[in-house]
Amino acid sequence: MKTIVITLAGSFCVAFQIHAASADTWTAVAPREEIRPQFQRTEAGGKSGHGALVIRADEREGLHGWWQKAFPASGGQHYRFSAWHRTENIAVPRRSVLARVLWRDDTGKEVKRHEGVVTNFAKNVVATAEPEYPRDTGAGKEGWIETSGVYEAPPGATQARVELHLMWAPNGRVEWSDVAFLATEPPPPRKVRLASVHYRPRGAKTTMDACRQFAPLIEEAARRNADLVVLGETLTYAGVNSTYADCAESIPGPSTDYFGELAKEHRLYVVAGLIERDRHQLFNVAVLIGPDGKVGGKYRKVCLPDGEYDKGISPGSDYPVFDTRLGKIGMMICYDGFFPEVARELSSRGAEIIAWPVWGCNPEQARARACENQVYLVSSTYEDVSRDWMLTAIYGQDGSVLAQAKEWGTVCIAEVDLNQRTLWPWLGDFKAQIPRQRPVARGE
């Protein structure tokens, strides 16, 4: 509320109060009137007790609406968006409750992105600055969830239109509150150096002989300042002419102890493909070993080809993702790459990097797994490049090969910034959209 004074015909004045301009108010919007939900603005309530923006759907399918407000912005400046929401009776909140930030110019029209967009596809396209999709980043008391993100306003943007949605949730209700859109500093880079070894151990008489053959390659990766180095699948079995059962060991065990010494000596992470014995069962595993020399986690191969299950290997059943000082790391193994579900489960659980010991696979599927999940994929294979099959490589979030080892006994390395977004024509930051728009899984 503010006071306006207007002078009329000489010295006669009139004073009156008006509410803030419409640009400073939230408005209720629906794509079509027939699917409009109910809107309510409360002066009390909300997370901090200062009011809430409520959207409620009736029993009909397909209702959709949002609260909308424009905030001033300036191209090149970074902004932090934050809002809290609480839901009732919504089956899949990740699909039905979302916030968007849309960049607009003085006239309310879309602005363009002339730099920073993927150009190896859709060439010669001038991309639009697509909407931003903030992520759910924190949980508070009484069911409140924070949705937030930091974004750089593109050149030409003078305003950011914030939208707070409820869609496709019969009888559902959402409260939005404590919305903020404030200038901030750009996020610092998170640069990591990813490495992969192109080597298959040969002539080993024992499993430890096979492990030792990787020592100079891990040393080479460390010399080139690698933070993470990925080794091959079932490397003890591949290097010894024996059986799965004879090469199996407990995790932790002798092989992880050995690679742990190397990881600690060189202060890096190692992913090694091994065979695990757990009582009567055998598993094809990838083990993450940290710079402290300890096992940081393991993944048991879920998708087994007949060459493994008919020799007594059991499948895993989970898709763990591990928090490290580098970022969030997931693992998959060889045949897993033929199935999109494995990499999708890992990325859905937050994996930024997927380490992939892989005997052999179609490299087009490697590109697809990286691109469809917008993750960095680090593969170590036993295939020679002359076979035109799987690569020892680091794949970017767009599926491109950032680095490849082509000669046996070599290491490839790529430096990546985990805070650098990959932006696409027509899609923008597709990685941010995946949690909101991927299909609903059965039973979710």
Side-chain angles (χ1 to χ4, degrees), residues 58-262:
D58 60 27
E59 71 282 357
R60 293 174 295 163
E61 298 277 355
L63 299 193
H64 178 198
W66 62 90
W67 289 101
Q68 177 177 300
K69 178 179 176 179
F71 292 81
S74 179
Q77 173 66 53
H78 282 77
Y79 296 90
R80 184 179 190 273
F81 165 82
S82 175
W84 289 81
H85 66 270
R86 183 169 63 179
T87 63
E88 295 178 15
N89 198 35
I90 297 178
V92 187
R94 69 168 180 83
R95 287 264 288 182
S96 295
V97 178
L98 64 91
R100 297 199 309 174
V101 178
L102 294 82
W103 304 109
R104 295 293 184 260
D105 63 14
D106 286 332
T107 66
K109 293 182 179 179
E110 296 177 336
V111 297
K112 301 294 184 181
R113 284 193 188 273
H114 295 277
E115 296 180 354
V117 179
V118 170
T119 58
N120 51 337
F121 302 98
K123 296 181 179 180
N124 301 319
V125 170
V126 178
T128 298
E130 299 293 339
E132 312 287 6
Y133 284 78
R135 304 183 186 193
D136 293 344
T137 52
K141 297 179 180 179
E142 300 177 339
W144 288 99
I145 302 294
E146 184 182 27
T147 299
S148 65
V150 174
Y151 309 105
E152 181 182 5
T158 61
Q159 56 179 301
R161 192 174 78 197
V162 170
E163 298 176 349
L164 309 173
H165 288 250
L166 174 66
M167 60 177 74
W168 317 325
N171 295 313
R173 180 181 185 273
V174 62
E175 295 177 75
W176 290 95
S177 79
D178 296 77
V179 182
F181 186 83
L182 302 172
T184 189
E185 295 298 316
R190 286 195 296 143
K191 292 184 178 181
V192 298
R193 292 179 64 81
L194 307 175
S196 188
V197 165
H198 190 51
Y199 182 71
R200 177 177 176 179
R202 297 184 182 278
K205 295 182 179 180
T206 67
T207 56
M208 191 53 59
D209 286 341
C211 293
R212 292 193 183 99
Q213 292 182 30
F214 286 92
L217 297 166
I218 295 173
E219 182 179 2
E220 169 66 11
R223 186 187 66 80
R224 296 170 62 185
N225 299 315
D227 296 300
L228 167 71
V229 58
V230 178
L231 314 181
E233 179 188 12
T234 58
L235 62 87
T236 51
Y237 170 77
V240 180
N241 185 19
S242 187
T243 66
Y244 288 137
D246 288 341
C247 297
E249 60 188 84
S250 62
I251 305 294
S255 296
T256 58
D257 289 346
Y258 177 76
F259 287 122
E261 293 173 3
L262 296 177

Side-chain angles (χ1 to χ4, degrees), residues 272-288:
L274 301 169
I275 300 173
E276 177 190 19
R277 173 176 286 279
D278 185 356
R279 296 176 298 169
H280 62 285
Q281 292 191 94
L282 304 181
F283 297 94
N284 185 339
V285 296
V287 184
L288 175 67

Side-chain angles (χ1 to χ4, degrees), residues 1-2 4 18-27 41 69-70:
M1 194 82 72
K2 61 183 179 180
I4 301 294
I18 64 170
H19 288 280
S22 59
D24 192 42
T25 62
W26 290 96
T27 58
R41 184 169 183 171
K69 178 179 176 179

Side-chain angles (χ1 to χ4, degrees), residues 249-253 256 270-279 281-290 294-302 316-323 329-333 346 349 355:
E249 60 188 84
S250 62
I251 305 294
T256 58
V270 174
V271 171
L274 301 169
I275 300 173
E276 177 190 19
R277 173 176 286 279
D278 185 356
R279 296 176 298 169
Q281 292 191 94
L282 304 181
F283 297 94
N284 185 339
V285 296
V287 184
L288 175 67
I289 302 167
K294 299 178 181 179
V295 172
K298 68 183 178 184
Y299 164 76
R300 290 171 168 173
K301 186 176 181 180
V302 170
S317 59
D318 196 13
Y319 307 90
V321 172
F322 305 99
D323 282 310
I329 299 175
M331 295 173 284
M332 64 182 190
I333 303 169
L346 294 171
R349 298 183 185 197

Side-chain angles (χ1 to χ4, degrees), residues 120-121 367 370-371 377 394-403:
N120 51 337
F121 302 98
R367 293 185 178 92
C371 182
L377 192 67
I394 293 94
Y395 294 86
Q397 294 180 328
D398 62 353
S400 63
V401 176
L402 303 179

